[in-house]
Amino acid sequence: MKKWTGLGAAAAVTALMGTAASAQTLVYCSEGSPEGFDPALYTSGTTFDASSRNVYNRLVEFERGTTTTVPGLAESWEVSEDGLEYTFNLRDDVQFQDTEFFTPTRNMNADDVIFSFMRQLDPEHPYHTVSGGTWEYFNGMSMPDLIESIEKVDDHTVKFTLTRPEAPMIANLAMDFASILSKEYADQMMEAGTPEMLNQRPVGTGPFEFVGYQKDAVIRYNQNEDYFRGAAPIENLIFAITPDASVRYQKLQAGECHVMPYPNPADLQAMELDENVNLLQQEGLNVGYLAYNTQVEPFDDPNVRKALNMAIDKQAIIDVVFQGAGTAAKNPLPPTIWGYNEQIKDDPYDPDQARQLLEEAGVEDLSMEIWAMPVQRPYNPNARRMAELLQEDFAKVGVDAEIVSYEWGEYLDRSKDVDREGAVLLGWTGDNGDPDNFLAVLLGCDAVGGSNRAQWCYEPFNDLIMEAKTVSDREQRIELYEEAQRIFKEQAPWATIAHSIVFEPIRPEVQDYKIDPFGGHQFYGVSLAE
Amino acid sequence: MLQFLFKRLLTFVPTFIGVTIISFAFIRLLPGDPILLLAGERGVAPERYAELAAQFGFDQPIWRQYLDYLGGIFQGDLGISFTTKRPVLDEFFTLFPATLELSLCAITLAVIIGIPAGVIAAVNRGKFFDQALMTTALTGYSMPIFWWALLLIIVFSSGLGWTPVSGRMSLMYFFDTPTGFMLIDSLLSGQEGAFRSAVAHLILPTVVLATIPLAVIARQTRSAMLEVLGEDYVRTARAKGLSPLRVNGLHALRNAMIPVVTVIGLSVGTLLAGAILTETIFSWPGIGKWMVDSIFRRDYQVVQGGLLLIATIVMAVNLLVDVLYGMINPKIRK
């Protein structure tokens, strides 16, 4: 830790004072504490920010600020014609970080890649149960069913064999759980009888190396001078853990931090006027929706669903529930994802026509339930309020809605029932930036009784998204997904309500910071103006 | 005195067992399945659910889970956090010094200001100082901590720049924390300015956390003093021509202290509870925020272990207060 104290302390002072300095220190006022530093063990963005996004790399990565995949530790890859074999050619010039607690003796190679996946896949692997590993994301993305085998072809070539063609596999491998850890470090820790250190003192190949963590207070990183893409302009990176959003803003104003996540919606107006703050914004990779149960009368009739969709005043919801920090959704995909169909026209807000459509469908005196989630989510900051607005909108077309709610765990569980009453408010935040992660997970036939809350299995739609899984050509997949979105709009299994807008206030001296569509915070490529 | 102490210690045992039951039951009575909450919108397949339940021991009958928990306690094992996968006891002792340091500073401030203020108010009963003090105390007592803390930050940190906004130590200092008490560790580090930074970071959270106990102590001291000042022996002392300082400070205050000491002891519980909000606002890495987060995540092991530890500390402090009480007032020992 001595590395930091001398150089780092001086750097911190000068950087925080805002004076010219050669050493750059960036302070990020993070919203919470990481649960640990091994990204495969956890699912929260806070943990990923502190680990995978700054300390580790993956075979394939998302280009900064986009959902497009680019080569990472693998410089290239080939997919077999049947779509079952993925062969990755690894870079041979990548070093693991040389830290106070670990000195690598070799470069990153196929052994590290195999270690990083097999510990999650193989129940017999010595690291499988270390740190209470449940490998949530690995399992959540169905990797155990999908991966038949992972083989080392040679020191710099690894082959993944799948049980079925799965085009989103590449995007999956760019996710945080697929970060590559050092087998050499893991072996050393296992030998020393402290395997849990892998989760407490991370060693990766990424742009920043871990220096120290004071629980719930500060995390410190140094620049990795040997980073394979070139050293980061930021030399010292500090996460100052600041759970309260108002306090984060005060710290940003006082120059005690450079970047802060998750501002209070109430502070946004002041931030826009504040000359100490640049307020960046982008649509979030999420969608909030109202899912009808399409297997229960009268919601099995697309015209009824369509009519109710036309009764919803989305702009009022954006204004009241999102306080402006959202945009109305017309597709089940967020606009930041590739494959988003721009051409789709949203159903107009037209209560008169809605009433007429209901009459034509022979629906009279309809009463229904609207389920309101008990928690705040980015895609729905206040479900109760949203449900009340929907209730008023539906009342205007003669539909009597009752609002119900359950404890969150129970809500998620009960809303899966195929014969459930009513329409459910819920949403989704994308995992891997692939349209399949929205359309198949939320609307596919396989997901009925599970994450398909509309219980909607419509063959023409399902055929398209299943075909898109097997095609590796991006343009061809886009066409299939665009068509799928057209069918979705016509059939209206959901009322698509909103995508949140992510705001990211930064200090004016911060250069080249990009909002990550996945909600992460990456500091490689960012610098401070002198 | 020894017998008194022994009797008190005996009552400790059933209370402790009671606390283990309550802490165990409390989090389980809250609706919410930790596995479903962990899975979130993504959901979890039934087979996977069963696997996880077995891994965390949730598939065992409830009495079995309780016995395992109790057995663990006697071996000094409070289990592993569901979220961080680290031992609960380790986490507690990493964070507790921060809470303790803040609470000790707050209670010290509350006592140093509260008692003299209460005495002066009682002696000047009905006069301007008394009325001003009691109004201030009532305001302090009723002030929402959240609002009060933000107000102080806006004025003293952002506005005047006198104190740092939050945290325990300026980011420019970096040293090991063997004791966990920043005031001590900053001195041990030998880094120039570190101690001053630790003090500066303590000021606002201490004031915020001390506000309610200070108000309570001042009011309690005042009313206890008023009662005592009317007693015969005080009148006698005055009649004997003793100086007002001696009458008020020695004769009256000593007797008035009994209820005040009780209030101070009870304030420990209030402080630990108040610490939750104060810690959140000032990004103070203590146990308050840790507990709240764990309740939201239904992290059973942390909540039951944390509650047990906090309750044990409160019980220990109250035991100490009882002993002090016995020392101040020999009648109680009987």
Side-chain angles (χ1 to χ4, degrees), chain A residues 83-294:
Chain A
L84 292 177
E85 285 179 9
Y86 285 72
T87 309
F88 292 92
N89 306 307
L90 308 183
R91 298 180 68 116
D92 57 8
D93 58 348
V94 180
Q95 289 179 33
F96 277 99
Q97 294 148 1
D98 185 352
T99 66
E100 295 272 312
F101 45 91
F102 174 68
T103 306
T105 63
R106 61 165 176 81
N107 280 2
M108 186 272 312
N109 66 24
D111 292 334
D112 301 308
V113 175
I114 291 182
F115 165 77
S116 302
F117 287 97
M118 287 314 283
R119 67 195 184 116
Q120 307 185 56
L121 184 64
D122 175 12
E124 305 300 319
H125 193 280
Y127 264 97
H128 191 71
T129 53
V130 168
S131 298
T134 51
W135 318 109
E136 275 326 298
Y137 246 130
F138 188 77
N139 284 291
M141 300 305 289
S142 308
M143 298 304 267
D145 300 333
L146 187 61
I147 297 178
E148 166 115 15
S149 67
I150 307 174
E151 289 159 71
K152 171 177 173 174
V153 177
D154 61 47
D155 263 2
H156 291 99
T157 314
V158 180
K159 189 168 84 183
F160 285 68
T161 308
L162 308 187
T163 53
R164 57 171 191 268
E166 177 88 355
M169 180 67 183
I170 291 292
N172 287 350
L173 291 180
M175 285 174 65
D176 303 86
F177 74 82
S179 295
I180 303 303
L181 277 63
S182 161
K183 178 176 189 297
E184 191 184 8
Y185 176 53
D187 286 347
Q188 278 183 17
M189 290 301 107
M190 186 57 93
E191 207 169 303
T194 54
E196 66 283 356
M197 280 299 152
L198 211 58
N199 182 31
Q200 290 172 26
R201 294 200 299 196
V203 172
T205 51
F208 295 99
E209 56 187 50
F210 176 82
V211 176
Y213 171 42
Q214 278 172 332
K215 190 169 165 58
D216 292 355
V218 189
I219 318 171
R220 288 168 199 275
Y221 306 89
N222 278 342
Q223 159 202 71
N224 172 8
E225 290 166 10
D226 306 317
Y227 186 49
F228 69 92
R229 290 184 174 121
I234 305 281
E235 288 166 57
N236 301 294
L237 174 64
I238 302 176
F239 281 28
I241 298 165
T242 315
D244 188 81
S246 310
V247 176
R248 285 201 290 278
Y249 180 34
Q250 296 294 330
K251 290 181 85 148
L252 194 77
Q253 281 184 312
E256 289 182 32
C257 54
H258 296 103
V259 178
M260 66 167 274
Y262 313 113
N264 268 337
D267 289 336
L268 291 174
Q269 221 172 356
M271 285 175 176
E272 271 176 18
L273 301 173
D274 192 334
E275 57 184 24
N276 288 323
V277 173
N278 278 350
L279 189 61
L280 308 181
Q281 65 179 73
Q282 192 182 57
E283 276 118 345
L285 192 71
N286 56 43
V287 61
Y289 59 81
L290 177 76
Y292 306 105
N293 187 346
T294 58

Side-chain angles (χ1 to χ4, degrees), chain A residues 10-141:
Chain A
V13 182
T14 43
L16 290 173
M17 299 294 202
T19 53
S22 54
Q24 296 211 323
T25 296
L26 185 135
V27 182
Y28 167 59
C29 276
S30 62
E31 75 287 3
S33 306
E35 297 147 306
F37 291 91
D38 181 348
L41 291 171
Y42 306 103
T43 54
S44 81
T46 310
T47 298
F48 296 155
D49 286 343
S51 57
S52 39
R53 286 164 184 162
N54 292 297
V55 177
Y56 292 106
N57 290 104
R58 289 142 292 282
L59 293 176
V60 184
E61 301 197 323
F62 296 112
E63 191 183 343
R64 200 161 65 97
T66 74
T67 57
T68 307
T69 45
V70 293
L73 296 177
E75 53 192 0
S76 61
W77 56 86
E78 294 102 46
V79 184
S80 66
E81 262 184 35
D82 60 4
L84 292 177
E85 285 179 9
Y86 285 72
T87 309
F88 292 92
N89 306 307
L90 308 183
R91 298 180 68 116
D92 57 8
D93 58 348
V94 180
Q95 289 179 33
F96 277 99
Q97 294 148 1
D98 185 352
T99 66
E100 295 272 312
F101 45 91
F102 174 68
T103 306
T105 63
R106 61 165 176 81
N107 280 2
M108 186 272 312
N109 66 24
D111 292 334
D112 301 308
V113 175
I114 291 182
F115 165 77
S116 302
F117 287 97
M118 287 314 283
R119 67 195 184 116
Q120 307 185 56
L121 184 64
D122 175 12
E124 305 300 319
H125 193 280
Y127 264 97
H128 191 71
T129 53
V130 168
S131 298
T134 51
W135 318 109
E136 275 326 298
Y137 246 130
F138 188 77
N139 284 291
M141 300 305 289

Side-chain angles (χ1 to χ4, degrees), chain B residues 196-272:
Chain B
R196 210 176 322 129
S197 173
V199 173
H201 280 82
L202 260 167
I203 296 173
L204 291 190
T206 300
V207 169
V208 169
L209 191 57
T211 302
I212 291 178
L214 197 158
V216 174
I217 290 172
R219 284 162 61 94
Q220 187 67 46
T221 309
R222 176 180 175 273
S223 64
M225 277 297 283
L226 284 180
E227 212 169 285
V228 173
L229 285 175
E231 297 282 336
D232 289 346
Y233 64 86
V234 174
R235 210 169 345 141
T236 313
R238 279 209 196 106
K240 274 164 67 185
L242 292 182
S243 71
L245 192 68
R246 220 175 143 74
V247 176
N248 296 327
L250 197 72
H251 292 258
L253 184 61
R254 179 164 176 166
N255 286 292
M257 276 311 283
I258 296 173
V260 177
V261 168
T262 316
V263 167
I264 295 173
L266 290 174
S267 297
V268 174
T270 321
L271 279 179
L272 291 176

